[in-house]
Amino acid sequence: MSGSAPGTGVPEGRPEAGRVTGHVLGPVELAGPKGVLRPSAGKQRVLLGGLLLHAGRVVSTDELIEWLWAQTPPPTAKETLYVYLMRLRKLMQDQVGGAARLRTVPGGFRLDLPPGALDLSAYRTAVAEARRSEEDGDTTAAVDRFRAAEELWRGPALADVPSDRLQRDEVVLLTEEKNRAVEDRIELELHLGRHTALLGELRALTARYPLRERLWVLLMRALHQDGRRAEALDCYLQVRTLLLDTYGLEPGEELRGMQRHILRGGVPGPAGPGAALDPAWQIQCQLPSPPPVFVGRSDETGALAAALTPTETPGVPVALVSGPPGIGKSALAVRVAHQLRDHFPDGQWYVQLDDLAPGEHIGDLLRLSGAAPESIPASLPARAAALRARLAGRRVLLLLEDATQLDQIRPLLPSTPGCAFLVTCRRVIAGLPGAEQVRLDVLDAPDAERMFAAVAGRRAAEDRESARRIVELCGGLPLALSIAGARLVARPDTTLAAFAHRLARRKWRLDALEVDSLRLRAAVRAAYVRLTPAAQNAFRLIGLLPSNVIPSWVLSALIGPPDDEGVAEQLLRASLLNAEPDPRTGESRYRVHELLLAYAEELATAEPAAQSVEALRRLLGAFLQIAEARHPDLRPRLPLPPDDAPADQVLPQDRARRLADPRAWGPAERELAGHVIERAHRLGRPRQAARLCHLLHLTPPCFNDGSDAARRDEDGAADDRAPHPKRPGEPRATGWLLMRAARAQLERGAVAAAARSARHAWKVFTEEGELRGSAAAARLLRQIHMTL
């Protein structure tokens, strides 16, 4: 028996012309030239469904584990996950084929599909076309496109995916997205006078979703247009009884407004925008509770209050608060909004911006303000105009949270004096002339200590030294201080000293800064995932560096041309980097908060080695360019073979010559040079490491200062029997690095360590037949023994 896959027009099991198609709007399946993959194993359906839903995006290992096991993963979760992924990849190759690829990428895994292959993408495209037709005034075409979009649904989203995490976090959102589109389509059909044909569908929908008040509003309106006022009012009684019996709540303003409209004898029939305007105004304070602990920020509080307090000047005051993750943007904005409530007697509105379109938020605000639901236009321009008209002559404070772009803000802006607009931003947003820009920085030490003490309680006063160390390790970041204090309150068995010790280890720091739903890592990740792929890559590469002070040329070398400046700008606007002028070089110098650097290091650790090696190769090449520009007459004693050579011309030559000035080098540059030398040696490029040591007169940091060797000498275990360091790469270059280390150790008085390094160098040279090196090592050994 043959047929078509529902909503696709594609024969069951045989994709049209070998096209790859993925389906999540119903049971999960992936079809291609070889057939259709419908995994029988539940875990495989979880992975396929989740990856299809996130097609083209990187999904981390941790997120995949959450899909499969929620909060109780087995001890071997990662290993088991990799087995599942390997099997899924094999199933795709055998049963699907075509352009569907499950790839291992930096940061996790990604399922790549051809453009337009996913039914969810096709659905959203059709809905977007429907809304454009609606905005253009072609209601009939809009309804047709909405219906075409609905036909792509073959059942509930991810219908056969047994994952609590995906069902709770993803399916709920998809169902809400579908229901909103269905409601919008029904409203348009009511405008076209199709109320009679819609009654059966609306009764079925209100039975399936009895708590969706908008569906009841549409059913009442359809009955009213059909001349059945009594039944429409009976619907109101039904839903009111349901809400009172179940939750003790009265119906919302939409339902009450429709009831009033029917009782007043409003004209039944198709209604255009404004046909049933209800001028009632609802005064509301929607602000979240003010933060229980708030310390410092007096200058910023004063600046925001002064900017937002109504004056006689024309225009609407606007203030934008930005800063890095966890810096306390929301806490400051909510506190200021509460302080200004008396200046805005007509209401204080709050909008948590998310992935919804601005028109959806405007519709919610209009309904909450008391506007009749049927008076709210459909298109974004019309809704924005209705909001401006609604706010005209009133004093309302609007607080918007987590804006990422100007297009989220502009449609909600009032147009007449009296109102004020306060926005917290995940990134610096320009384009609003006259707006007060408040950029938050970390708390200074006294305020940070006061905040930690306020959260941690008396224990902070009992161990002041450890408390100060914890505050220092939190870097003045308010969210980190709050989490640290809350964690100590939750764990009275943990001493402040023990917690400080755990925080001191960078690899444990983010794990330590988690308590209940407060997680610093999640706050940083929320900013990271909104970056472009190029900016995400740059942020990960910063995790390869040892210091949070980054000269601009170092970032340029890590990223590579031609996008280094544009990527740095993205990181600055996302508040993941701060910039300051460097008078020594005339260039910028970047700073990244230590806790953000810890997250970047986590990401860098998860990167494929090849990408990190290439970035470090570029950075080493830049250092060699600068060093050789400083000493152009020094020829390398160890010529570099082609496969060991640094990247050529990483920096423009004029820039390298300018940076070669010794005055352009400070502790940060020298620390970074030592780190690069060490990494180069470990990555099998000892010739380059030796060359850079020679040019910059540095001690190779890849060999310790001798303390460990000295202890072994005292124990009688470090003598000529000790093997030389097992370093990858060119042995002769390793020998010269050991020689430089021996000389530096001798100068510092670490004689035993110097002797050990020189002996190892002599062994390396002897084994390699390097006579000149053997002689030099022997002379150095004699010199060392003369000092004993």
Side-chain angles (χ1 to χ4, degrees):
M1 181 176 178
S2 63
S4 297
T8 64
V10 178
E12 187 81 22
R14 292 192 300 123
E16 180 183 2
R19 286 184 62 241
V20 171
T21 56
H23 300 282
V24 294
L25 305 181
V28 169
E29 63 181 39
L30 180 61
K34 295 182 180 180
V36 180
L37 172 60
R38 300 186 185 92
S40 57
K43 299 296 188 187
Q44 298 290 351
R45 293 198 300 275
V46 170
L47 289 175
L48 179 59
L51 289 167
L52 281 171
L53 201 58
H54 295 78
R57 287 176 281 174
V58 178
V59 182
S60 68
T61 300
D62 290 343
E63 193 166 3
L64 291 169
I65 289 173
E66 281 192 42
W67 292 354
L68 291 169
W69 294 288
Q71 301 301 316
T72 57
T76 59
K78 284 191 177 181
E79 293 78 4
T80 307
L81 169 66
Y82 296 149
V83 172
Y84 288 156
L85 289 167
M86 180 183 66
R87 290 175 181 171
L88 180 59
R89 185 179 282 124
K90 183 71 165 56
L91 287 172
M92 289 172 55
Q93 292 171 351
D94 294 344
Q95 299 183 31
V96 180
R101 295 285 188 275
L102 177 55
R103 304 181 189 277
T104 303
V105 295
F109 299 86
R110 185 182 69 225
L111 177 61
D112 288 337
L113 298 177
L118 189 65
D119 58 355
L120 178 58
S121 300
Y123 169 76
R124 287 173 171 164
T125 299
V127 169
E129 291 173 352
R131 298 198 191 283
R132 281 194 293 271
S133 297
E134 179 187 356
E135 292 175 5
D136 294 340
D138 193 346
T139 305
T140 302
V143 168
D144 292 342
R145 290 190 168 99
F146 271 124
R147 286 197 173 275
E150 291 168 25
E151 289 177 3
L152 294 172
W153 286 73
R154 303 170 296 120
L158 303 183
D160 56 351
V161 172
S163 168
D164 292 341
R165 166 75 161 74
L166 289 173
Q167 294 291 334
R168 183 188 69 238
D169 295 349
E170 304 290 354
V171 172
V172 169
L173 295 176
L174 291 173
T175 303
E176 176 65 20
E177 184 178 342
K178 177 191 177 185
N179 287 340
R180 281 180 177 267
V182 169
E183 291 165 351
D184 291 345
R185 186 260 302 165
I186 291 174
E187 187 166 4
L188 292 177
E189 293 202 74
L190 289 174
H191 281 295
L192 294 174
R194 301 176 182 175
H195 43 273
T196 303
L198 291 168
L199 287 173
E201 181 182 7
L202 281 168
R203 289 194 187 278
L205 287 170
T206 52
R208 185 183 305 168
Y209 304 108
L211 299 180
R212 290 189 72 85
E213 294 191 24
R214 189 181 178 197
L215 287 173
W216 288 98
V217 170
L218 295 171
L219 176 57
M220 291 172 65
R221 180 171 164 183
L223 289 166
H224 184 42
Q225 290 180 209
D226 205 41
R228 300 153 71 172
R229 291 179 61 200
E231 291 182 57
L233 293 172
D234 185 62
C235 286
Y236 177 79
L237 293 176
Q238 289 180 47
V239 68
R240 181 174 184 270
T241 301
L242 172 67
L243 292 171
L244 283 172
D245 290 349
T246 307
Y247 299 106
L249 297 174
E250 287 286 349
E253 184 55 36
E254 272 191 287
L255 275 167
R256 297 201 305 271
M258 180 56 71
Q259 184 208 29
R260 289 194 299 266
H261 175 65
I262 295 172
L263 289 172
R264 291 171 185 169
V267 179
L277 180 63
D278 186 346
W281 177 265
Q282 300 289 329
I283 298 176
Q284 295 192 15
C285 176
Q286 304 169 3
L287 300 175
S289 300
V293 175
F294 190 90
V295 174
R297 306 289 193 211
S298 56
D299 291 344
E300 294 88 346
T301 300
L304 289 174
L308 297 171
T309 301
T311 62
E312 299 302 321
T313 58
V316 176
V318 178
L320 306 175
V321 182
S322 60
I327 201 66
K329 301 182 288 292
S330 297
L332 174 64
V334 171
R335 179 179 173 85
V336 170
H338 275 280
Q339 290 179 349
L340 296 177
R341 282 187 60 187
D342 291 344
H343 294 283
F344 300 96
D346 293 320
Q348 305 87 41
W349 293 358
Y350 177 83
V351 177
Q352 176 66 56
L353 295 172
D354 45 33
D355 293 333
L356 289 180
E360 301 289 349
H361 293 300
I362 294 174
D364 290 341
L365 291 176
L366 289 170
R367 283 186 286 271
L368 289 169
S369 75
E374 60 271 24
S375 72
I376 299 174
S379 69
L380 175 60
R383 287 190 175 194
L387 180 64
R388 291 193 294 270
R390 193 80 172 139
L391 292 172
R394 303 188 190 275
R395 289 185 176 273
V396 175
L397 173 65
L398 287 86
L399 171 55
L400 272 62
E401 282 266 41
D402 290 337
T404 59
Q405 55 188 352
L406 184 59
D407 290 345
Q408 290 179 297
I409 299 173
R410 198 185 294 278
L412 284 86
L413 277 170
S415 60
T416 54
C419 295
F421 208 65
L422 175 58
V423 188
T424 67
C425 309
R426 288 186 179 273
R427 57 193 297 271
V428 177
I429 295 178
L432 289 174
E436 177 77 13
Q437 293 275 3
V438 174
R439 185 173 176 84
L440 298 185
D441 201 349
V442 296
L443 297 174
D444 59 26
D447 283 342
E449 290 177 12
R450 286 171 52 210
M451 182 172 189
F452 176 72
V455 180
R458 66 176 184 275
R459 299 177 65 192
E462 294 169 355
D463 187 354
R464 294 183 183 278
E465 182 178 349
S466 296
R468 279 193 291 270
R469 179 59 176 156
I470 292 170
V471 169
E472 177 186 347
L473 292 167
C474 288
L477 199 65
L479 179 58
L481 293 165
S482 297
I483 294 174
R487 179 153 181 163
L488 286 166
V489 170
R491 291 292 305 272
D493 58 315
T494 302
T495 65
L496 270 69
F499 187 69
H501 175 72
R502 183 172 178 82
L503 276 182
R505 298 291 298 274
R506 183 183 286 176
K507 67 177 182 178
W508 294 344
R509 199 168 297 171
L510 295 181
D511 290 334
L513 292 174
E514 292 186 3
V515 60
D516 295 334
S517 60
L518 291 175
R519 298 181 179 183
L520 182 63
R521 183 185 282 108
V524 182
R525 185 177 187 277
Y528 168 76
V529 297
R530 285 175 168 80
L531 298 171
T532 64
Q536 288 183 354
N537 179 62
F539 185 72
R540 291 194 299 269
L541 293 177
I542 287 173
L544 299 172
L545 303 178
S547 169
N548 69 327
V549 179
I550 308 169
S552 59
W553 64 267
V554 170
L555 188 61
S556 297
L558 274 179
I559 300 170
D563 299 326
D564 52 317
E565 291 187 5
V567 167
E569 178 66 21
Q570 290 185 52
L571 294 174
L572 288 168
R573 295 193 65 178
S575 300
L576 295 175
L577 289 182
N578 285 327
E580 56 189 31
D582 187 347
R584 299 170 306 165
T585 64
E587 297 189 355
S588 296
R589 180 171 54 201
Y590 303 120
R591 289 185 183 270
V592 57
H593 194 281
E594 283 285 355
L595 295 174
L596 303 189
L597 184 61
Y599 183 68
E601 185 176 353
E602 284 186 359
L603 297 174
T605 303
E607 284 289 283
Q611 188 169 0
S612 299
V613 168
E614 181 59 30
L616 289 167
R617 181 172 176 267
R618 288 194 300 269
L619 186 55
L620 180 58
F623 267 104
L624 281 171
Q625 267 190 275
I626 295 170
E628 288 170 355
R630 181 185 292 187
H631 303 289
D633 298 329
L634 287 179
R635 305 301 302 168
R637 299 180 181 178
L638 299 169
L640 302 177
D643 61 345
D644 199 30
D648 293 330
Q649 293 295 313
V650 178
L651 302 174
Q653 282 296 348
D654 58 340
R655 189 180 189 186
R657 284 192 293 270
R658 185 174 70 251
L659 294 169
D661 188 333
R663 291 172 296 181
W665 283 63
E669 287 80 5
R670 295 186 70 82
E671 178 188 1
L672 185 55
H675 177 74
V676 168
I677 290 168
E678 180 177 7
R679 294 299 294 267
H681 191 70
R682 289 180 177 176
L683 292 172
R685 287 178 165 79
R687 292 188 180 214
Q688 294 169 291
R691 172 70 173 152
L692 193 53
C693 281
H694 175 63
L695 289 171
L696 297 181
H697 306 292
L698 292 175
T699 302
C702 32
F703 303 102
N704 62 44
D705 62 2
S707 56
D708 291 340
R711 282 194 297 271
R712 285 192 294 271
D713 282 339
E714 291 167 4
D715 296 337
D719 53 24
D720 290 336
R721 297 187 302 274
H724 63 76
K726 299 297 184 182
R727 303 292 187 179
E730 174 64 53
R732 295 183 183 183
T734 300
W736 289 112
L737 281 172
L738 283 161
M739 289 286 289
R740 179 169 285 278
R743 291 190 181 99
Q745 290 158 347
L746 183 61
E747 289 175 5
R748 290 198 298 269
V751 179
R756 179 173 178 270
S757 296
R759 281 197 300 271
H760 291 170
W762 180 83
K763 282 189 175 184
V764 171
F765 290 136
T766 302
E767 291 170 1
E768 293 296 314
E770 173 61 47
L771 298 180
R772 183 166 61 94
S774 298
R779 286 194 300 273
L780 182 57
L781 277 170
R782 284 195 297 272
Q783 179 184 348
I784 293 171
H785 286 304
M786 289 174 64
T787 65
L788 294 175

